[in-house]
Amino acid sequence: MIPYGRQDVTDADIAAVVAVLRSEFLTQGPEVPKFEAAVSAYCGSGYAVAVSNATAALHLACLALEVGRGDRVWTSPISFVASANCALYCGADIDFVDVEPESGNLSVSKLADKLRHARAAGTLPKVVIPVHLCGRPCDLVSIHALSREFGFRILEDASHAIGARYLDGPIGNCRYSDAAVFSFHPVKVMTTGEGGMFVTNDATLAARVVRTRNHGITRQPEEMTRPPDGPWYYQQIDLGYNYRMTDIQAALGSSQLTRLDAAIAHRNRLAERYDKLLAGLPLELPPRAMHQISAMHLYIVRLVSPSVIGAHRAIFESMREAGIGVNLHYIPIHLQPYYQQHGFSAATFPEAERFYSRAISLPMYPTLTEEEQDLVVRGLKNAILAHSR
Ligand SMILES: *Cc1c(COP(=O)(O)O)cnc(C)c1O
């Protein structure tokens, strides 16, 4: 089976991990701060805080932004469930903003409409979480302008988007947001096995995340309620978690980061090749945008012509049977049973549901060969031929 996504682990990555295994520290040693410094240098953020996964990063980011009971958080329904669950972990209410039909990213015009209604109703959100779907940056300038007008904070779910560029800078520089998170799960753009990173330019937010990833404990005398009892002393001043990253993971991350730009360039070359090979089929291909570079985590095509719309499932099944691991990103979050039980009804976010009924993620990863890509294209052509009306 050709998978839809796959990690690329080299001998150099393995050597970096083995060196940590032979060293004194498996966790809380020098590798985590080294990886954090490398990521913040790479994406131009003031601070980077490594955590156990991006879900933990989203949770701690919401806590740092003081999301709690009675607050509202808005995100995109076309995302992984973690983008919404983080608000619920904090006791806040979650709501969604429908997406743009082409990119699947949160629609800025729908966001503006929803904000105007919310202002009239006194139900404005505290935090909006735009998701850079597939690694394609959202319209952050417009979202930032709305945040000034309506007074919400912006947390970028950049789980797909480390290595992406927006206007003149890398995603993660937080020029138009309060903070961003990256995921290093093996299917993502780069990996630490499991892992995540919180980035921000706000020293207060960074300090809160540093503390809450480690039980809410501080060893900084200036943060304590009284002078230390002695050199052993620490204080728990928040309720935190054990969301730490290990040195083993961080060493893998530092090694992977050195190849990130090459991997993204390769993903974009594969995408351009898909664009050429798929032209003329009854599909809409991923949209291109000016002034940005997608991290190209996913390559999503959409069945739009009436001849194939009803054949979504059949095309999926025949491609899987042909050994091509197509996937679907994403089942709209509000359609998940948990969310349905908590008050969301179907047909609330029509563009998200339309996206779901048409999208197919084709295999996209840096070690995908042109021969494999040709097999994917042939499989898709055959499936469309067999199932279109
Ligand atoms: C993968 C993913 C997450 C969660 O990342 P983990 O590191 O697996 O916790 C969150 N949001 C989006 C959009 C993702 O794709």
Side-chain angles (χ1 to χ4, degrees):
M1 180 79 94
I2 301 174
Y4 82 91
R6 179 173 209 291
Q7 70 277 12
D8 176 25
V9 174
T10 63
D11 288 344
D13 292 344
I14 292 167
V17 169
V18 169
V20 174
L21 290 173
R22 293 189 195 285
S23 77
E24 189 175 352
F25 294 102
L26 301 188
T27 193
Q28 296 179 284
E31 291 298 328
V32 167
K34 227 189 273 176
F35 181 41
E36 290 171 337
V39 169
S40 83
Y42 179 87
C43 67
S45 66
Y47 305 88
V49 186
V51 289
S52 47
N53 53 63
T55 304
L58 287 165
H59 182 189
L60 298 187
C62 285
L63 288 176
L65 291 166
E66 299 179 293
V67 170
R69 215 160 287 283
D71 291 327
R72 291 174 194 80
V73 174
W74 292 0
T75 189
S76 166
I78 295 293
S79 187
F80 186 55
V81 292
S83 308
N85 288 345
C86 57
L88 304 182
Y89 295 158
C90 303
D93 293 325
I94 188 80
D95 201 356
F96 302 96
V97 180
D98 209 356
V99 298
E100 298 171 344
E102 297 82 19
S103 67
N105 275 342
L106 178 148
S107 156
V108 169
S109 62
K110 296 231 169 77
L111 175 61
D113 286 347
K114 197 174 170 103
L115 286 165
R116 280 191 282 272
H117 282 111
R119 179 153 61 191
T123 55
L124 283 170
K126 184 164 199 171
V127 176
V128 172
I129 306 180
V131 179
H132 304 310
L133 189 70
C134 307
R136 182 189 204 273
C138 293
D139 179 358
L140 287 171
V141 166
S142 302
I143 297 170
H144 184 251
L146 289 170
S147 81
R148 289 291 168 88
E149 186 181 346
F150 291 93
F152 58 86
R153 313 289 294 270
I154 301 171
L155 169 59
E156 298 170 66
D157 184 343
S159 291
H160 301 178
I162 191 167
R165 294 186 69 84
Y166 177 75
L167 302 181
D168 295 330
I171 284 292
N173 68 7
C174 301
R175 237 193 106 195
Y176 303 102
S177 70
D178 293 283
V181 309
F182 298 129
S183 172
F184 306 127
H185 183 279
V187 298
K188 302 289 164 72
V189 181
M190 58 170 269
T191 191
T192 59
E194 292 274 4
M197 191 73 79
F198 170 86
V199 291
T200 186
N201 297 319
D202 182 327
T204 305
L205 295 182
R208 285 181 186 152
V209 173
V210 165
R211 211 158 53 225
T212 46
R213 78 171 163 187
N214 191 28
H215 309 280
I217 284 171
T218 184
R219 291 176 186 278
Q220 310 291 331
E222 63 278 10
E223 291 179 346
M224 294 182 182
T225 57
R226 62 187 168 90
D229 293 348
W232 64 84
Y233 195 65
Y234 59 83
Q235 277 190 346
Q236 184 192 338
I237 58 175
D238 283 328
L239 181 61
Y241 302 83
N242 180 351
Y243 280 170
R244 295 186 305 260
M245 178 181 276
T246 67
D247 273 42
I248 304 166
Q249 293 167 310
L252 178 55
S254 293
S255 182
Q256 290 256 315
L257 187 63
T258 63
R259 298 196 311 282
L260 179 61
D261 284 340
I264 300 249
H266 189 66
R267 284 172 178 271
N268 277 283
R269 275 196 299 278
L270 288 170
E272 278 166 30
R273 196 160 178 274
Y274 266 139
D275 289 350
K276 288 205 189 85
L277 296 170
L278 297 173
L281 292 177
L283 298 171
E284 275 190 10
L285 304 179
R288 289 299 141 92
M290 303 286 280
H291 313 301
Q292 56 167 264
I293 298 173
S294 172
M296 206 52 80
H297 163 51
L298 298 170
Y299 186 91
I300 299 180
V301 299
R302 285 164 300 122
L303 304 172
V304 288
S305 135
S307 65
V308 287
I309 280 179
H312 189 230
R313 181 174 178 158
I315 290 171
F316 245 88
E317 285 169 348
S318 58
M319 290 189 76
R320 289 249 176 122
E321 270 161 36
I324 300 160
V326 286
N327 217 322
L328 214 169
H329 298 90
Y330 284 95
I331 305 160
I333 299 173
H334 68 285
L335 298 183
Q336 295 291 352
Y338 180 86
Y339 282 85
Q340 297 268 295
Q341 285 154 22
H342 288 77
F344 287 95
S345 46
T348 320
F349 304 103
E351 289 301 343
E353 292 176 32
R354 198 167 297 131
F355 195 87
Y356 173 56
S357 71
R358 297 173 178 192
I360 305 175
S361 299
L362 301 183
M364 170 56 76
Y365 49 92
T367 57
L368 182 73
T369 64
E370 293 195 351
E371 291 70 31
E372 286 166 331
Q373 196 180 26
D374 291 341
L375 275 175
V376 174
V377 169
R378 208 169 318 133
L380 181 56
K381 283 184 176 164
N382 288 340
I384 288 173
L385 208 60
H387 296 293
S388 56
R389 282 185 284 110

